[in-house]
Amino acid sequence: MPNCNLVGMDQITDFVANTVNENVWKVLAFVLLGAGIYFGVRTLLVQFRYIPDMFRAIREKPDPSGAGEEISAFKAFSISAASRVGTGNVAGVALAISIGGPGAVFWMWAMALIGGATAFVESTLAQVWKVRDKGSFRGGPAYYMSRGLNSKALAIIFAIAISITYGLVYNAVQTNSIVEAVDNSIATAKDAEVGASPQLKVIIGVILAALAAVVIFGGVQRIANVTQVIVPFMATAYILLGVIVLALNFSEIPTMFANIVGSALGFREVAGASLGMAFTYGMRRGLFSNEAGQGSAPNAAATANVSHPVKQGLVQTLGVYFDTLVVCSITAFIVLLGNPQFGENAQSASLTQNSLASQVGDWGVHFISVILFFLAFSSILGNYYLAQANFNYFTKSKSAMIGFRVLVIACVFGGAIGKVPLVWALADTFAATMVIINLIAIIPLGWVAFKLLKNFSDQKKAGLEPVFHRDDIPGLRNVECWDGQEAVTTREYWAKQ
C-alpha cells in the first residue's frame, strides 16, 4: 500500500508540474511581460522615475488624531513584504537555479524591473476602491473588480482563488521549506544523509501551527505589529551575511554576472539547464517571490491611510525591488558561488544552506534554518491576512471565518509532511490562476492609475503635497473613500505639517 500511495503521489505531481504548469506558463510568462511593458510605457516608466518618492511615501504617517486603528504606509508595506519575503527568496531562488541554471536569475530581475509598473497599477487601483472598515480600511482586487469593473462574478472568483492560494497552498509551501531546512541542519550536525525523523517533522508542524494560531486569531493589527518587526530584522541579517560572502569572493563577481546574463540570453551553454528552462523558472519563481501582477499585495496596499492613491502604489513597487533585486539576489549569489549542479534534481532550501556552508562553514546551514524559520513564519501571517481580506469579501459569517482559520492552521501543519515537488507545483498552478484573473481587471482599469499618476505629478510640480479627492477624476464610479473625511486627504492637514 505505501508503494501504491507513493506512485499515485508521483503521478499527481507529474500531472500538475509537467502537464498543467508547463503548458500554462509557456503562455503566461509572455503575458506577464507584455502587461508590464504596457504599464511601463503608459506611465513613462513610473517604476524608475519615482524611486525617490517611493522612499518618501513609505515614511508617511497616518493622522495622529485618528481612531488609532489606521495602518501606516510602512505597516501596509510590512504586511505585503511578509508574504513576499520568505521561502520564495531563500528556497524559491535556489529551486529556480537548480532547474533553470544561472540564467533564471536574470529573468527574475527582469520580472521585477518590468513588473514594478504592474505592481504600481494594481496597488494604486486598490487604494482607489478601498472601503472603510471599523476605523481602518480594506480592499484589493475583489473590490476594484466589483466596483471599478462592475464584475461581481469575477470578484468572487478571485476572492475564492486567493483565499485558497494564500490561506492554504502557499502556507503549506512555507512550512515545507522550514522542515526541509531543519532536516538539512540535523543531517549536517549528525554528519548523515538523513536528518529529521517523520516524528520530528510532525512536531515542527504542530509548533508552527500553534504559533500561527496565536497571531492569526489576534487580528490584522497583531499581524502587522509582528511582521513589521520580524521582516526587517531577519532580512537585514540575511543581507548582511550575503554582502560579507560577496566581499570575500569579490573576484568571482564579474564571472558570476557573465554567467547569469550569458546563460539567460543563450550566449553560454549551461549543462543540464536550457534557455527555455531558465526563462520559465526565472519567471515563475520571480512571480512567487515578488508577486507583481498576482493581485496579492493590493490587499495590503488598500489598508494604508495615505493622502493619495499613487503613494501606496509607489510603496508597493519599492517592495518588489526590495524583494527581488536585494533579497533574492543575495540568495542567487550565495548559491552560484557554491558551484551547484544544474538540471539534475530540484533543490530548494537545502541548496542555499549547502552553498552558504561551502563559504563560511557548517554553521551557515543552521543560520539559514533560523532565518528561513522566521521569514517563512512571517509569510504565513502575511499570507493569512491576504486570504482573510478576501474571505471576508464573500462572507461575513464569524463561524465561517473560524472554520477558515482552522483550515489554514491545518495546512500550515500539512506542509510539514508534504512532498517538496508537489507543494511547489501546486503553488505555480494557483499563482497562474490569480495572475490571469487579475490581469483581466487591471488592464482595462489601467486608465485610472494613469490619470492618478498625472494628478500626483502635477501637484508635485506645483510644489504641493499630493492629495486626492474622488471628484478630481471625472468618470470614477463606486468610490466609497476619498471624499475628504480622512484628514490626510485634505490640503488643510498638510498646511499644518
Side-chain angles (χ1 to χ4, degrees):
M1 184 64 70
N3 290 335
C4 292
N5 288 337
L6 183 60
V7 171
M9 191 65 70
D10 288 342
Q11 289 176 335
I12 293 173
T13 302
D14 181 69
F15 173 76
V16 174
N18 299 322
T19 302
V20 177
N21 289 342
E22 289 299 326
N23 290 311
V24 169
W25 278 94
K26 282 178 182 177
V27 178
L28 191 58
F30 291 101
V31 173
L32 264 175
L33 280 177
I37 292 171
Y38 167 70
F39 290 133
V41 170
R42 290 300 307 272
T43 59
L44 300 178
L45 301 178
V46 63
Q47 69 268 43
F48 303 126
R49 291 193 298 130
Y50 285 88
I51 290 178
D53 289 283
M54 295 177 192
F55 287 97
R56 280 193 287 269
I58 201 172
R59 297 196 302 269
E60 185 171 311
K61 305 290 184 183
D63 179 14
S65 63
E69 296 182 8
E70 291 92 346
I71 299 293
S72 67
F74 180 72
K75 276 193 175 183
F77 172 85
S78 297
I79 294 174
S80 59
S83 63
R84 281 189 177 123
V85 182
T87 59
N89 304 85
V90 180
V93 175
L95 182 66
I97 294 174
S98 71
I99 299 176
V105 180
F106 176 90
W107 293 112
M108 291 183 73
W109 290 340
M111 178 67 189
L113 294 172
I114 297 173
T118 307
F120 166 79
V121 169
E122 63 182 355
S123 292
T124 300
L125 294 176
Q127 270 287 322
V128 173
W129 281 288
K130 66 185 180 182
V131 299
R132 295 184 176 93
D133 183 25
K134 298 177 182 178
S136 57
F137 303 99
R138 56 184 166 87
Y143 294 83
Y144 57 66
M145 288 172 187
S146 61
R147 291 170 172 264
L149 204 62
N150 290 319
S151 179
K152 185 82 171 180
L154 190 66
I156 292 174
I157 292 171
F158 181 87
I160 293 172
I162 191 173
S163 296
I164 295 173
T165 304
Y166 278 80
L168 311 182
V169 178
Y170 278 13
N171 276 342
V173 170
Q174 307 300 330
T175 313
N176 190 272
S177 296
I178 291 173
V179 168
E180 184 193 1
V182 172
D183 180 71
N184 194 38
S185 277
I186 295 174
T188 300
K190 297 193 304 183
D191 194 21
E193 294 184 3
V194 180
S197 65
Q199 293 81 6
L200 181 57
K201 292 180 180 180
V202 169
I203 293 173
I204 294 172
V206 169
I207 292 173
L208 282 169
L211 290 173
V214 170
V215 182
I216 284 174
F217 279 89
V220 62
Q221 281 291 346
R222 184 176 295 178
I223 292 172
N225 291 335
V226 171
T227 56
Q228 75 173 345
V229 173
I230 292 178
V231 174
F233 180 77
M234 287 299 162
T236 300
Y238 186 59
I239 291 168
L240 285 176
L241 181 61
V243 169
I244 292 172
V245 171
L246 282 176
L248 294 174
N249 295 273
F250 186 77
S251 61
E252 300 293 326
I253 294 178
T255 301
M256 185 165 53
F257 270 98
N259 286 335
I260 290 172
V261 177
S263 59
L265 302 180
F267 300 141
R268 296 193 179 193
E269 289 295 326
V270 177
S274 66
L275 178 62
M277 294 291 278
F279 175 74
T280 301
Y281 275 87
M283 291 294 291
R284 284 194 207 176
R285 298 281 67 80
L287 175 65
F288 180 81
S289 180
N290 65 51
E291 303 174 5
Q294 194 169 319
S296 51
N299 296 276
T303 65
N305 185 16
V306 292
S307 69
H308 199 289
V310 163
K311 289 185 176 180
Q312 197 57 26
L314 294 174
V315 167
Q316 294 305 325
T317 303
L318 182 64
V320 170
Y321 291 166
F322 173 73
D323 173 272
T324 304
L325 302 183
V326 178
V327 186
C328 285
S329 294
I330 290 296
T331 298
F333 297 150
I334 289 173
V335 169
L336 291 174
L337 286 172
N339 297 316
Q341 296 296 312
F342 307 117
E344 294 184 353
N345 296 309
Q347 300 179 69
S348 52
S350 59
L351 177 58
T352 306
Q353 289 177 300
N354 295 335
S355 297
L356 182 59
S358 70
Q359 300 297 317
V360 301
D362 286 351
W363 69 266
V365 172
H366 311 306
F367 177 83
I368 294 294
S369 293
V370 173
I371 291 291
L372 188 60
F373 177 88
F374 284 102
L375 289 182
F377 179 68
S378 68
S379 287
I380 289 172
L381 304 182
N383 289 347
Y384 167 74
Y385 171 74
L386 300 179
Q388 172 193 279
N390 286 272
F391 192 84
N392 282 333
Y393 177 80
F394 55 81
T395 179
K396 300 296 189 296
S397 169
K398 290 185 177 180
S399 59
M401 177 53 68
I402 291 174
F404 179 67
R405 287 173 174 172
V406 170
L407 190 56
V408 170
I409 300 304
C411 286
V412 170
F413 169 76
I417 55 178
K419 294 189 65 177
V420 172
L422 178 59
V423 171
W424 281 98
L426 287 171
D428 283 341
T429 303
F430 280 92
T433 303
M434 287 179 56
V435 169
I436 293 169
I437 301 171
N438 190 46
L439 289 181
I440 290 173
I442 65 174
I443 291 176
L445 288 175
W447 69 272
V448 177
F450 307 150
K451 285 184 176 294
L452 282 165
L453 182 59
K454 185 178 186 306
N455 178 273
F456 179 88
S457 179
D458 288 345
Q459 293 185 64
K460 292 282 291 183
K461 289 178 181 176
L464 300 172
E465 181 66 36
V467 298
F468 177 68
H469 191 282
R470 61 193 182 191
D471 294 335
D472 291 345
I473 298 183
L476 272 184
R477 298 176 297 177
N478 304 319
V479 177
E480 176 180 312
C481 302
W482 304 106
D483 54 2
Q485 287 191 36
E486 279 70 45
V488 295
T489 64
T490 64
R491 188 66 61 202
E492 293 76 17
Y493 173 84
W494 290 101
K496 298 175 183 177
Q497 301 306 305

